[in-house]
Amino acid sequence: MPESAARKRKLRDSEPNPSINKGGRPKRQKIGNDAHSSHTPRTSALATTTGKTPRNNLTAFDWLSVYAYMDSHPKATQNQIINHFTTLKTGALIFTQGTLSRKRQIAEREKIEARAKATPNGLSLKRDRIVTRPDVERALVLWTKRMEAKGEIYNIDMLIQKRKEFDDAFKVPDAERLPGNGWIQSFCRGYNIAFQRLHGEAGSVDPAAAHAEQDRVCKILLDYAPRDRFNFDETGLYIFAPPDRGIAASQMRGKKSSKYHITIGLACNADGSEKLAPIFIGKPKAPRCFKKEGTPEANDIEYHNNASAWMTKEIFEGWLRALDIQMRFARRHICLLVDNFSGHYVDYTPSNVKLVFFRPNLTSYVQPCDAGVIRCFKALYRRNFCRSALRRDAGGFSNIYELSLIGAMCMADKAWKSVTAATIQHCWKHAGLQP
């Protein structure tokens, strides 16, 4: 490097301060008991690590904090109040004496208190929201609350159309109507409305019926220790599907995703001390990979096949017989919770395994495996699948996501063994079947 270029480079005196922006301005910090909560009021508090005092408008939450301090210290002067909030360890609130003199007036205080109560997000606002038609907005808010109370979700198009209907119902003149969707962001921010993605099927369950089912099953489980309470459930897994989302510097073209799937049966007990070996059900009877990489029996894997790659009465009965024999030799009596799938109703009556069937349409609410165990298992499988792609990429393979059936089953078996006891215990508790 030339000596002239070395002189021009500015040396760093110390490590960068994470609370200071590049321009020297302190970053905003959240204060409060739950700074990461989306419902925590925003604040304009600044870090006190710099001597600079930039001007910044305060939120309604900040001014209410100032008013509370003034009420508790009635003899404090304006300078004392300013100095107190400038030196707060949780974050400095910067305002001038003139601003404080104006804001402490009764009219201004009432205005800020009204702003804080106007909307659920009013504490985070720095100025009043301009609403052209409060009656229309109020009707729209009541409609959103009614939709959420019914357990229904709505989108932007529905929100825009509903506003048009309220405009027509209230006979709002064209000059006072809000065209387009520019008002959506302000409306959603004011009432803490955010994009949500629906997960699972618990929203279709009657809560009263779910609580009654929890009580019924808990009474049965009282006769069994946590290590003797088991839950069995099946799930489908697209074992060859590559990730459909990720990160890149530019827009990437999508690729055809593999639709090949298998069924996996998983069983675990309530305290997480036992995870029974999974059952794998696929379509091919003897694919070529079994000859090249070893049979399922050689890899200690239980594999079955049928045309639909799904659980059948014969497969479940064979698995149940083997489990009953295992418990008979161990001199244990266990309770096995299963859903009311027709394939679970078998002619065999086990002696050491008590089958308890969940009532219809309630498994998404009360079944422990549906409460997060299967979700954790699939996440661990995807992690192993992506790490396998990294190894194939380092080996120079063109298709880094290529995998054999026996390799995928071994990977899934490893993922199942990686599910922790703490995760299983939490899911049983979340399902309401454990204290």
Side-chain angles (χ1 to χ4, degrees):
M1 180 184 296
E3 185 178 355
S4 59
R7 285 196 220 98
K8 293 181 180 179
R9 175 175 293 178
K10 185 177 180 181
L11 298 178
R12 178 179 293 174
D13 297 332
S14 59
E15 293 296 324
N17 191 333
S19 63
I20 305 298
N21 286 327
K22 293 182 178 180
R25 180 186 178 90
K27 292 182 179 179
R28 295 182 180 179
Q29 296 182 347
K30 292 183 178 181
I31 62 176
N33 298 328
D34 187 8
H36 300 286
S37 172
S38 60
H39 298 292
T40 302
R42 295 178 58 189
T43 177
S44 299
L46 302 174
T48 56
T49 56
T50 178
K52 296 182 179 181
T53 57
R55 297 183 61 183
N56 195 12
N57 294 333
L58 304 188
T59 64
F61 175 74
D62 296 330
W63 282 118
L64 291 181
S65 301
V66 175
Y67 294 148
Y69 180 81
M70 291 168 54
D71 294 339
S72 60
H73 300 79
K75 296 183 179 180
T77 63
Q78 292 186 4
N79 286 331
Q80 291 174 342
I81 296 173
I82 294 172
N83 292 335
H84 169 76
F85 285 96
T86 305
T87 58
L88 285 178
K89 294 183 179 180
T90 55
L93 297 178
I94 310 300
F95 51 90
T96 63
Q97 184 176 355
T99 302
L100 178 60
S101 178
R102 184 175 67 257
K103 293 294 183 180
R104 69 186 305 174
Q105 296 178 7
I106 298 178
E108 284 290 329
R109 179 168 181 169
E110 292 177 350
K111 182 179 178 181
I112 293 176
E113 292 175 347
R115 180 199 309 165
K117 298 177 182 179
T119 61
N121 199 35
L123 289 172
S124 301
L125 300 180
K126 296 183 178 181
R127 57 186 62 87
D128 296 331
R129 289 183 64 245
I130 300 177
V131 181
T132 56
R133 290 299 298 251
D135 51 350
V136 174
E137 178 161 308
R138 179 60 180 170
L140 195 60
V141 170
L142 293 176
W143 176 79
T144 59
K145 291 182 178 180
R146 185 175 64 86
M147 291 288 288
E148 294 175 8
K150 293 169 56 179
E152 302 292 344
I153 200 167
Y154 50 91
N155 55 27
I156 296 297
D157 292 336
M158 296 171 65
L159 201 62
I160 294 175
Q161 180 61 30
K162 198 63 185 178
R163 172 141 199 158
K164 291 181 180 179
E165 294 178 4
F166 284 133
D167 285 340
D168 296 337
F170 287 100
K171 298 181 180 180
V172 179
D174 294 340
E176 297 180 5
R177 299 195 179 199
L178 299 179
N181 58 0
W183 56 273
I184 293 290
Q185 184 176 4
S186 174
F187 176 80
C188 292
R189 189 189 302 119
Y191 294 95
N192 285 330
I193 298 174
F195 289 98
Q196 307 287 345
R197 183 177 180 181
L198 299 181
H199 298 276
E201 302 172 358
S204 302
V205 177
D206 180 14
H211 292 317
E213 178 69 358
Q214 289 173 341
D215 295 338
R216 182 186 73 87
V217 175
C218 284
K219 290 179 181 179
I220 300 175
L221 295 178
L222 289 176
D223 297 332
Y224 298 87
R227 66 183 295 266
D228 295 328
R229 305 171 183 175
F230 283 81
N231 177 222
F232 175 85
D233 193 21
E234 302 94 352
T235 182
L237 181 64
Y238 292 90
I239 53 177
F240 302 142
D244 59 352
R245 65 192 66 187
I247 54 177
S250 59
Q251 179 64 41
M252 305 293 291
R253 293 182 178 180
K255 297 182 179 180
K256 187 176 181 180
S257 180
S258 173
K259 301 298 183 182
Y260 186 87
H261 72 281
I262 62 174
T263 296
I264 304 178
L266 304 173
C268 59
N269 62 352
D271 63 0
S273 59
E274 285 186 72
K275 297 189 292 288
L276 302 183
I279 309 175
F280 295 92
I281 308 173
K283 293 183 179 180
K285 183 177 181 180
R288 286 179 293 179
C289 64
F290 286 2
K291 298 180 180 180
K292 296 180 180 180
E293 304 179 36
T295 62
E297 293 77 11
N299 290 277
D300 197 20
I301 289 176
E302 182 178 353
Y303 176 75
H304 303 270
N305 75 289
N306 54 49
S308 60
W310 188 239
M311 177 64 73
T312 62
K313 181 183 295 187
E314 293 75 17
I315 296 176
F316 183 73
E317 182 175 340
W319 178 83
L320 182 61
R321 285 178 180 270
L323 177 63
D324 188 35
I325 295 173
Q326 177 185 346
M327 295 301 159
R328 194 181 310 159
F329 283 141
R331 296 182 178 181
R332 291 175 60 186
H333 290 268
I334 67 172
C335 179
L336 181 63
L337 305 176
V338 295
D339 55 37
N340 65 325
F341 169 53
S342 59
H344 294 161
Y345 290 91
V346 297
D347 298 329
Y348 173 71
T349 303
S351 60
N352 289 59
V353 178
K354 180 176 182 178
L355 276 178
V356 176
F357 295 91
F358 290 112
R359 288 172 179 167
N361 304 322
L362 296 176
T363 55
S364 60
Y365 202 98
V366 299
Q367 183 160 231
C369 283
D370 280 343
V373 176
I374 292 177
R375 173 68 183 87
C376 179
F377 157 72
K378 289 185 175 181
L380 291 172
Y381 175 82
R382 287 299 163 197
R383 185 185 67 179
N384 295 340
F385 184 70
C386 291
R387 290 180 178 179
S388 173
L390 288 178
R391 291 191 294 269
R392 289 182 59 84
D393 179 60
F397 291 91
S398 58
N399 186 2
I400 63 175
Y401 293 108
E402 187 177 9
L403 194 65
S404 65
L405 177 59
I406 189 68
M409 290 191 295
C410 291
M411 190 178 294
D413 182 64
K414 180 180 178 182
W416 176 238
K417 293 178 180 177
S418 300
V419 178
T420 63
T423 298
I424 296 175
Q425 293 171 10
H426 175 77
C427 293
W428 275 78
K429 184 177 180 180
H430 182 75
L433 303 183
Q434 281 287 96

